[in-house]
Amino acid sequence: MFALSVLVPTMAVGAIAWGVVGVIQGRGRQSLTPVTAASFYAHVMLMVGGMIALAGMAILVKIGLTGIDLSFGYTPIVGPSAPYGPPSPETQRMQDLILATVLFGLGTVVAIGHGFLAGWLRTMEGGGLTWITRGALIATTAVTGLAAILSTVVGSYQLSSYFLLGQSAGPFADAIGMAVVFLPAWLACLAVLVRLLRRPQPRPAPA
């Protein structure tokens, strides 16, 4: 699936880079406590849950587009379908509906649960470090931005090819559905990030 194939490696690389930057920044300034590690974990899982839920929404948009024409999202089958061949477009659509429900439900639960955990850990010493709290927003903005740009480019190409070359160009609803969901999410994260960065950070009290 296009959304997961883009999000999974991006989130993995982003989380590793985020953690390395945090360790380097905190070295010699603040000790990394178990609360800090737990807070980092909670913020990473908060981002992961949100991305999974957005991926489920992207599939729902794809399903909505295929309600107009199944060929928007699924390649027409030539020859026998399952069990002697690939599943029919109707079966694939039902499979996508199940997948979207699972992704959205699981992602929402993971995001909400770890959101509460992250908020609780921020009240403890070492649980609200700037590189974790602001880093979470920066990482989310980067992941949604990459997904939005890639899906918009691929979706625009597939959409143009479909209407210019016909069904032989292949379906486009997968990438378009992802673009429809991740573009607004990226712009929202970007707006919050800009507003946050304009806000001056509190200076540490003199010793």
Side-chain angles (χ1 to χ4, degrees):
M1 187 216 153
F2 183 76
L4 294 180
S5 65
V6 172
L7 289 177
V8 171
T10 303
M11 287 190 296
V13 174
I16 294 173
W18 180 11
V20 171
V21 170
V23 171
I24 294 175
Q25 185 178 9
R27 184 178 298 173
R29 299 179 183 179
Q30 296 169 315
S31 59
L32 298 179
T33 66
V35 174
T36 304
S39 181
F40 176 71
Y41 156 78
H43 283 82
V44 169
M45 291 305 295
L46 174 60
M47 179 186 70
V48 170
M51 295 302 106
I52 292 176
L54 288 176
M57 293 175 61
I59 301 178
L60 289 176
V61 173
K62 171 188 176 181
I63 294 172
L65 291 173
T66 58
I68 302 173
D69 190 329
L70 280 173
S71 65
F72 287 178
Y74 309 103
T75 304
I77 296 176
V78 178
S81 58
Y84 305 104
S88 65
E90 292 80 4
T91 302
Q92 295 179 51
R93 190 168 186 263
M94 183 56 64
Q95 291 173 341
D96 276 346
L97 180 58
I98 296 172
L99 177 61
T101 304
V102 171
L103 289 178
F104 181 76
L106 178 62
T108 301
V109 171
V110 170
I112 291 176
H114 286 86
F116 280 115
L117 177 60
W120 177 59
L121 290 171
R122 287 177 191 174
T123 63
M124 302 181 182
E125 184 178 358
L129 301 183
T130 301
W131 70 266
I132 294 180
T133 55
R134 294 198 174 189
L137 180 57
I138 294 173
T140 303
T141 305
V143 172
T144 54
L146 180 60
I149 293 172
L150 288 177
S151 60
T152 299
V153 171
V154 174
S156 299
Y157 166 74
Q158 293 178 341
L159 180 64
S160 302
S161 299
Y162 181 91
F163 285 103
L164 291 176
L165 303 176
Q167 294 184 3
S168 60
F172 60 85
D174 204 352
I176 290 295
M178 187 173 176
V180 168
V181 170
F182 278 87
L183 266 175
W186 175 39
L187 295 176
C189 290
L190 197 58
V192 175
L193 178 61
V194 170
R195 189 182 304 116
L196 182 64
L197 293 178
R198 286 179 176 176
R199 185 186 309 164
Q201 296 186 19
R203 296 184 179 180

